[in-house]
Amino acid sequence: MHPSSPHPQRVSSALHLLRGPKVWLVPCLLLTVALCVIAVVFNGSVANPNADLRDAPVGLVNLDQGAMAGESTQNLGDQALTGITSQPQHPRQIKWETLSSLDEAKTRIGRNELFAAVVLPKDYSAKMLGLVGPEPAKPAVTVLTNHGGGSMAASIGQNAGQKAAIGASKAVGQFILQQTQKAGQPVPHANRALLLDPVTVVEQPGSPLGERTGMGMTAFFYALLLMMAGFLGANLINAMTDAELGFSASEFGPKRNAALPQPINRRQTLLAKSLIMAATAAVVSAGVLAVSTFALDLDLPHSAQLWLFGTAAISAVGIGTLCVLAVLGGPGIVVAMLVFVAVAIPTSGGAIPLQAMPPFWKFLASFEPQRALCDGVRAIMYFDAQSSAGLGRAWTVLGVGLAITVLIGFLVTWFYDHKGLHRIHPHALERLRAFLHHDDKETPTGVDAAGQHPAPASTSMPGPA
């Protein structure tokens, strides 16, 4: 009401506000639906990883040089690997990959292409045959682990490799026992016991990580920081830019400021917010990198690439969120949260490998940006920034995703502008300016209608409808 009006302004109450069901029903429904979706996505992705596990890649390397058994040479390593690969799996949980050398196994792990690798030693046959002799010694089978791929992936590969090595060697031990008995040679009970547990399994890192890498988890949390920076930054920039342009009020404690709305269309507003987001991303990425390097002393061998990728990741998530908000308005916050946060985290592959997820979650992971963030950060931190370790795909997904969201955002805002769907109509803006100008003339300078010093126009004007 105009300050010079003699009638007192009627004060509303909370009860009066709550009589309108739109005030409480819409937030309640939106929040309920969003949380139900999040519950399904989060819990569904980890409900039963053992049952959902499919095609976890584990390498097999046979370095066995064979040994004489009677008048012939036998390579029991080949027999052990054949037993592993021919073992039926219903469903097929492990994808066994026969490799030609130890170097190939380490290279594949160094590109994050294997969960683990089982390596049979050169003296495998000799020591296995020697278990029925007077001086038996167990062969040492090595399982190369890949903690850079995540703790669950490393655990899956480690367990599968260890069980396969022990199970196949037991089968080979029974074969040796049968051949020895057929030859009429006695086998003491101690030797029989060794043939039931014939190998020693030794675990070694296939691609060693630094001490301060959280056993392969620092990349996951670093990628989460980048995602949060993009999502939260977009919401903050959206609110502060709208307040600066006069389309919403800004509040700091008890102080409320509302500026006069500016004559700017939706496309230019989205462009301004996107440029602010890109500039902010560079600063935030540098800040996260500095804290991780100097305060936390994390092992970060490619800092420059990590800063560049972090800047691109924050920009992609942030600008994508801004485009969703520009298209959908207020409800866009919920949609952006589902796309960039809720659905993204469980399908990122950071904590749970994609091979241990149900098919629908694997489909979501094929385009969700958080998987690209995790793959890119992991490749930079643990795998020498190799493109084949996931960094190349990460750049592609971020670039394509950003291009699609920007295209949709600017096309839709162009359509809104073209159809005259203004955030505040130009005629309303003219009347508002005229009203404020008229109000300044009627009120004595320095004193308002109540005899108090008035606030500036930018702090006393009500927010736009």
Side-chain angles (χ1 to χ4, degrees):
M1 182 171 289
H2 197 278
S4 61
S5 173
H7 303 290
Q9 186 176 12
R10 182 177 179 181
V11 179
S12 185
S13 65
L15 183 60
H16 180 268
L17 179 64
L18 294 176
R19 286 174 181 171
K22 182 180 179 181
V23 176
W24 54 268
L25 184 59
V26 172
C28 180
L29 290 177
L30 284 176
L31 187 61
T32 301
V33 172
L35 266 297
C36 287
V37 172
I38 293 174
V40 170
V41 174
F42 268 59
N43 295 325
S45 64
V46 296
N48 194 349
N50 290 327
D52 294 325
L53 184 63
R54 298 288 187 280
D55 295 328
V58 178
L60 298 172
V61 181
N62 180 25
L63 302 180
D64 186 18
Q65 296 179 343
M68 291 296 297
E71 299 180 353
S72 63
T73 301
Q74 292 189 6
N75 191 306
L76 299 179
D78 289 338
Q79 183 177 331
L81 295 194
T82 300
I84 293 174
T85 56
S86 62
Q87 184 178 3
Q89 298 184 65
H90 303 287
R92 187 178 176 86
Q93 294 184 328
I94 305 299
K95 180 182 178 182
W96 301 107
E97 299 187 22
T98 303
L99 308 177
S100 60
S101 66
L102 179 61
D103 288 340
E104 183 182 2
K106 291 183 177 181
T107 299
R108 294 285 300 278
I109 291 177
R111 293 201 298 256
N112 198 26
E113 296 176 354
L114 297 174
F115 283 11
V118 180
V119 182
L120 302 183
K122 295 179 179 180
D123 58 357
Y124 182 79
S125 292
K127 287 191 173 181
M128 286 294 293
L129 292 172
L131 292 178
V132 295
E135 296 181 0
K138 292 183 179 182
V141 177
T142 303
V143 176
L144 299 178
T145 57
N146 179 17
H147 286 284
S151 58
M152 182 178 285
S155 177
I156 291 172
Q158 175 184 329
N159 292 336
Q162 184 172 355
K163 289 180 180 179
I166 293 175
S169 297
K170 283 184 178 180
V172 172
Q174 291 302 307
F175 170 78
I176 294 173
L177 180 61
Q178 293 173 4
Q179 293 296 106
T180 304
Q181 290 176 337
K182 284 183 180 180
Q185 299 178 7
V187 180
H189 290 291
N191 296 79
R192 290 173 181 268
L194 284 175
L195 291 173
L196 294 176
D197 184 20
V199 295
T200 300
V201 178
V202 179
E203 297 174 11
Q204 292 182 2
S207 181
L209 302 180
E211 293 182 359
R212 297 189 65 79
T213 55
M215 293 294 289
M217 291 301 293
T218 52
F220 173 55
F221 289 113
Y222 197 99
L224 282 181
L225 283 175
L226 299 181
M227 179 273 295
M228 291 171 58
F231 179 75
L232 295 177
N235 282 276
L236 182 62
I237 290 171
N238 184 68
M240 295 187 68
T241 305
D242 279 350
E244 184 69 21
L245 293 174
F247 293 108
S248 65
S250 63
E251 295 188 44
F252 186 79
K255 186 177 180 181
R256 180 179 184 273
N257 294 326
L260 182 67
Q262 302 298 311
I264 183 172
N265 62 30
R266 294 176 182 270
R267 282 174 298 159
Q268 292 297 316
T269 302
L270 178 58
L271 177 60
K273 293 176 180 178
S274 299
L275 293 175
I276 296 172
M277 185 73 250
T280 302
V283 177
V284 173
S285 180
V288 173
L289 179 62
V291 170
S292 301
T293 302
F294 301 109
L296 301 178
D297 193 27
L298 299 183
D299 290 313
L300 304 174
H302 300 279
S303 298
Q305 289 194 49
L306 189 58
W307 169 81
L308 182 62
F309 183 80
T311 300
I314 295 172
S315 298
V317 174
I319 294 175
T321 301
L322 289 171
C323 289
V324 173
L325 294 173
V327 171
L328 300 179
I333 297 177
V334 178
V335 175
M337 182 189 67
L338 290 175
V339 174
F340 294 108
V341 182
V343 178
I345 292 177
T347 59
S348 66
I352 306 167
L354 302 181
Q355 290 83 353
M357 293 182 185
F360 177 69
W361 279 256
K362 293 180 183 178
F363 166 73
L364 292 177
S366 64
F367 58 86
E368 272 291 341
Q370 188 60 23
R371 182 194 169 192
L373 267 64
C374 283
D375 287 348
V377 172
R378 182 177 283 156
I380 295 172
M381 282 189 174
Y382 307 146
F383 302 110
D384 200 28
Q386 298 179 80
S387 177
S388 57
L391 185 57
R393 179 190 177 277
W395 278 113
T396 301
V397 171
L398 289 181
V400 172
L402 178 60
I404 292 175
T405 53
V406 167
L407 180 63
I408 294 175
F410 279 90
L411 280 178
V412 174
T413 51
W414 171 85
F415 175 78
Y416 290 163
D417 293 335
H418 182 69
K419 291 296 183 180
L421 303 174
H422 307 287
R423 299 186 75 183
I424 181 170
H425 198 278
H427 295 319
L429 182 57
E430 291 177 4
R431 289 195 295 269
L432 186 56
R433 289 178 181 275
F435 169 77
L436 291 176
H437 182 68
H438 179 70
D439 183 50
D440 289 340
K441 286 184 177 181
E442 286 190 352
T443 305
T445 303
V447 181
D448 63 12
Q452 302 294 328
H453 291 282
S458 63
T459 60
S460 59
M461 188 195 71

